[in-house]
Amino acid sequence: MVNKDFFAALDELCASKGIERQSFIDTLQSALTSAYKRYAKGDASDVVVKMNDEKCSIRFFAIKQIVEVVEDPDKQITLEEAKEYKKSYKIGDTFEKEFTPKDFGRIAAQTAKQVVMQKIREAERNNTISEFEDKENEIQSAIVRKVENGNVYVELSGGQLEGVMLPQDQVPGESYNLNDKISVYVKRIRQIGKNTQILVSRTATGLVKRFFENEVPEIKQGIVVIKSVSREAGQRTKIAIHSIDPQVDALGACVGNKGMRVNAVIEQLGGEKIDIIPWSEDPLEFIAKALAPAKVLRVTAIDEKSARVIVPDDKLSLAIGRDGQNARLAARLTGWKIDVKSESKAMEEFGAEEIIEE
């Protein structure tokens, strides 16, 4: 079968879609071989299809193994018979005899079309993934397409890619329903064999960072810097910020006029509470601020990365927070282990010299 138009179209397709030509030819040869075997059900012979670029041909060969004694005539041939076609054959070689399949043209065309469509989809997907690789650690709009076995599957990049949100990346209390539009954080793009898996999250601290970057121009411009974030998704986040320009109020920039900017982030997080903490180069001062909204009387370094914090008796529960959440988030934000004690307890254990208000 000689078809110059087919090979010309193949060249154009590979060039326009970025398909690797040899890969396309290998796949098509394999598909045509399988299609012929299904078509010629009564023929037990092995068949191979070969495509020749230079001659623009597609050729079919029946193949048999050259043996001394034939046990399976459909798959084996004697050396004497083989040498009638080519003198150089020897025992163990593969004998090939070209043939022209009858009435196979329509099936061959359908098979070629299927392979073309498959390769186009693969090429488009690979191109989309390549373009998507720089979206790691970014926010993307997504549409919920399926919830299965605790995982949420979302449509990304206009439906060309699928992301998966594992249970640990889902916010407790949030519901994810079919066709819901949500913002997700692209955690990781990883290869599993030939497949690409895109892991997305609603619990990552990076989601909060990116929301603030989108709402606060000063962060986007690099004037206000996010130093650290600690989060218990769905409940509370603490974010430490710092202005590198003395003329710019970092706290005011993040809160916005009448709380407009921080409220926009809270809304995107589904009502999650946010404490905006001014960062300090002095770690003890930073720890005191991180325990907001509680008032702190004194912070003392116990040893490396460990500090004791003393608060008024009536502020102890506020400093620790419900189930220890406030102290826990402050510890993650600062990177220090924090031991919170009430004023009376500290007086009892350490004496009055420990209770000097800063």
Side-chain angles (χ1 to χ4, degrees), residues 124-135 157 160:
E124 289 176 344
R125 178 178 171 81
N126 289 338
N127 290 339
T128 302
I129 289 171
S130 296
E131 294 171 3
F132 201 82
E133 284 178 347
D134 63 353
K135 300 295 190 295
S157 195
Q160 296 187 60

Side-chain angles (χ1 to χ4, degrees), residues 190-202:
R190 65 182 183 184
Q191 290 291 132
I192 302 177
K194 292 184 178 181
N195 298 318
T196 300
Q197 186 179 59
I198 301 172
L199 298 178
V200 299
S201 175
R202 286 277 299 167

Side-chain angles (χ1 to χ4, degrees), residues 325-343:
Q325 185 185 72
N326 194 58
R328 189 164 57 246
L329 287 173
R332 291 181 198 160
L333 190 73
T334 60
W336 281 60
K337 182 180 178 181
I338 301 173
D339 179 23
V340 181
K341 292 189 177 292
S342 66
E343 185 176 10

Side-chain angles (χ1 to χ4, degrees), residues 22 40 64 186 301 348 354:
Q22 191 56 50
K64 295 183 179 183
V186 181
E348 179 184 323
E354 284 285 325

Side-chain angles (χ1 to χ4, degrees), residues 135-192:
K135 300 295 190 295
E136 199 168 281
N137 302 321
E138 298 292 339
I139 290 175
Q140 291 289 302
S141 295
I143 299 174
V144 176
R145 287 304 183 212
K146 183 173 62 175
V147 180
E148 186 176 87
N149 297 325
N151 299 322
V152 178
Y153 296 88
V154 298
E155 176 185 294
L156 299 165
S157 195
Q160 296 187 60
L161 296 175
E162 181 182 74
V164 59
M165 186 160 54
L166 302 176
Q168 61 266 32
D169 291 307
Q170 300 165 31
V171 176
E174 274 192 351
S175 60
Y176 307 101
N177 303 307
L178 189 66
N179 295 325
D180 280 355
K181 294 181 179 179
I182 59 175
S183 294
V184 295
Y185 181 77
V186 181
K187 280 179 63 176
R188 194 168 11 133
I189 301 171
R190 65 182 183 184
Q191 290 291 132
I192 302 177

Side-chain angles (χ1 to χ4, degrees), residues 24-298:
F24 186 102
I25 289 175
D26 291 345
T27 303
L28 185 54
Q29 287 179 163
S30 176
L32 286 171
T33 300
S34 298
Y36 181 79
K37 287 180 178 178
R38 290 194 300 270
Y39 166 74
K41 293 179 181 177
D43 188 352
S45 301
D46 286 334
V47 174
V48 66
V49 179
K50 295 183 180 181
M51 297 176 66
N52 189 306
D53 280 357
E54 294 179 2
K55 296 181 180 180
C56 296
S57 66
I58 302 175
R59 303 167 70 191
F60 289 74
F61 294 86
I63 59 173
K64 295 183 179 183
Q65 201 68 25
I66 300 174
V67 295
E68 289 183 2
V69 180
V70 172
E71 296 177 355
D72 184 349
D74 288 320
K75 297 184 178 181
Q76 295 174 333
I77 188 173
T78 64
L79 180 60
E80 291 74 16
E81 289 177 300
K83 281 191 172 183
E84 292 178 11
Y85 295 89
K86 191 165 70 173
K87 298 295 183 182
S88 60
Y89 275 135
K90 57 184 182 294
I91 296 292
D93 285 352
T94 299
F95 170 81
E96 295 183 350
K97 182 180 179 181
E98 186 174 0
F99 71 96
T100 301
K102 294 180 180 179
D103 304 322
F104 185 61
R106 182 177 59 82
I107 296 174
Q110 289 177 343
T111 302
K113 182 179 178 181
Q114 290 169 358
V115 172
V116 166
M117 296 307 296
Q118 173 195 341
K119 282 296 182 180
I120 287 175
R121 286 193 294 268
E122 286 179 3
E124 289 176 344
R125 178 178 171 81
N126 289 338
N127 290 339
T128 302
I129 289 171
S130 296
E131 294 171 3
F132 201 82
E133 284 178 347
D134 63 353
K135 300 295 190 295
E136 199 168 281
N137 302 321
E138 298 292 339
I139 290 175
Q140 291 289 302
S141 295
I143 299 174
V144 176
R145 287 304 183 212
K146 183 173 62 175
V147 180
E148 186 176 87
N149 297 325
N151 299 322
V152 178
Y153 296 88
V154 298
E155 176 185 294
L156 299 165
S157 195
Q160 296 187 60
L161 296 175
E162 181 182 74
V164 59
M165 186 160 54
L166 302 176
Q168 61 266 32
D169 291 307
Q170 300 165 31
V171 176
E174 274 192 351
S175 60
Y176 307 101
N177 303 307
L178 189 66
N179 295 325
D180 280 355
K181 294 181 179 179
I182 59 175
S183 294
V184 295
Y185 181 77
V186 181
K187 280 179 63 176
R188 194 168 11 133
I189 301 171
R190 65 182 183 184
Q191 290 291 132
I192 302 177
K194 292 184 178 181
N195 298 318
T196 300
Q197 186 179 59
I198 301 172
L199 298 178
V200 299
S201 175
R202 286 277 299 167
T203 62
T205 57
L207 186 72
V208 179
K209 284 185 178 182
R210 293 293 181 246
F211 279 149
F212 268 100
E213 286 178 1
N214 292 340
E215 296 296 335
V216 183
E218 290 85 350
I219 294 178
K220 201 82 168 179
Q221 295 162 9
I223 300 171
V224 173
V225 179
I226 297 174
K227 287 290 190 177
S228 60
V229 179
S230 61
R231 184 182 185 206
E232 294 194 355
Q235 298 182 50
R236 195 178 205 99
T237 285
K238 287 182 182 286
I239 179 168
I241 44 96
H242 175 67
S243 174
I244 62 173
D245 184 345
Q247 303 300 315
V248 175
D249 174 18
L251 185 59
C254 292
V255 172
N257 185 31
K258 297 181 179 179
M260 180 176 64
R261 292 175 176 176
V262 69
N263 286 336
V265 175
I266 290 171
E267 183 178 350
Q268 291 175 94
L269 292 174
E272 189 172 311
K273 295 178 181 178
I274 297 177
D275 296 333
I276 302 176
I277 310 297
W279 177 81
S280 174
E281 194 172 358
D282 180 345
L284 302 186
E285 182 183 349
F286 184 28
I287 290 169
K289 292 177 179 178
L291 282 165
K295 179 184 178 182
V296 172
L297 298 177
R298 184 178 178 87

